[in-house]
Amino acid sequence: IPESAIGPVDSLPALEGLDVKPDPSLLKDTVILKLNGGLGTGMGLDKAKSLLSVADGNTFLDLIAKQVDSMKKEYKTPDLRFMLMNSFSTSKDTLDALAKYPELGTGSDLEFVQNKAPKVSAKDCTPASHEADKGHEWCPPGHGDLYPAMLG
């Protein structure tokens, strides 16, 4: 969607004014999608921010996994899908951390990876080169290109 096609919403109805009835049967057609592509480099981390320990030995990712499991049980929807949009920098650590939750899925059932964009030289727009660390030849992950990444 081009930026020029996006405009402000003038008004939205208040939830309290809507006649909405919960329908857990809709969860069979639902995917819980979490963006998980950014590293916590600004916080001194070298892994996904979701792997930061926050409470009682749990990471943010542990808490998310437990929330999904709780929803599956509460609404009796064992096939409720959960996926992460990882990056080339977060995929391995995240999948390793989620291995203890096999009921969530594994590999491509559990994630898709956002696109990887090369850095280019400002001088002539050729691909940047960094011999000391080839990883520095790519733009940092976390740009969240959701729709193009879903297309593959």
Side-chain angles (χ1 to χ4, degrees), residues 113-141:
V113 178
Q114 63 186 259
N115 294 304
K116 192 174 180 180
K119 289 182 180 176
V120 294
S121 166
K123 179 181 174 184
D124 59 8
C125 292
T126 59
S129 177
H130 194 281
E131 293 303 320
D133 185 348
K134 294 289 189 185
H136 291 303
E137 294 178 355
W138 298 95
C139 292

Side-chain angles (χ1 to χ4, degrees), residues 20-99:
V20 178
K21 294 179 179 50
D23 185 356
S25 71
L26 296 174
L27 292 175
K28 67 180 175 29
D29 297 320
T30 301
V31 176
I32 298 170
L33 177 62
K34 296 283 188 176
L35 176 60
N36 191 56
L39 295 175
T41 53
M43 298 184 297
L45 302 174
D46 61 354
K47 57 186 176 182
K49 289 178 267 204
S50 63
L51 297 176
L52 185 64
S53 184
V54 288
D56 301 324
N58 289 302
T59 65
F60 283 114
L61 199 57
D62 289 319
L63 297 177
I64 291 166
K66 291 174 182 182
Q67 285 176 328
V68 173
D69 185 55
S70 175
M71 279 186 70
K72 287 179 174 194
K73 290 175 181 168
E74 181 178 347
Y75 296 107
K76 298 173 181 61
T77 54
D79 53 350
L80 175 63
R81 299 279 315 273
F82 169 71
M83 290 194 85
L84 293 163
M85 181 175 164
N86 277 324
S87 72
F88 60 91
S89 295
T90 61
S91 178
K92 183 180 180 338
D93 287 343
T94 299
L95 293 179
D96 288 349
L98 287 177

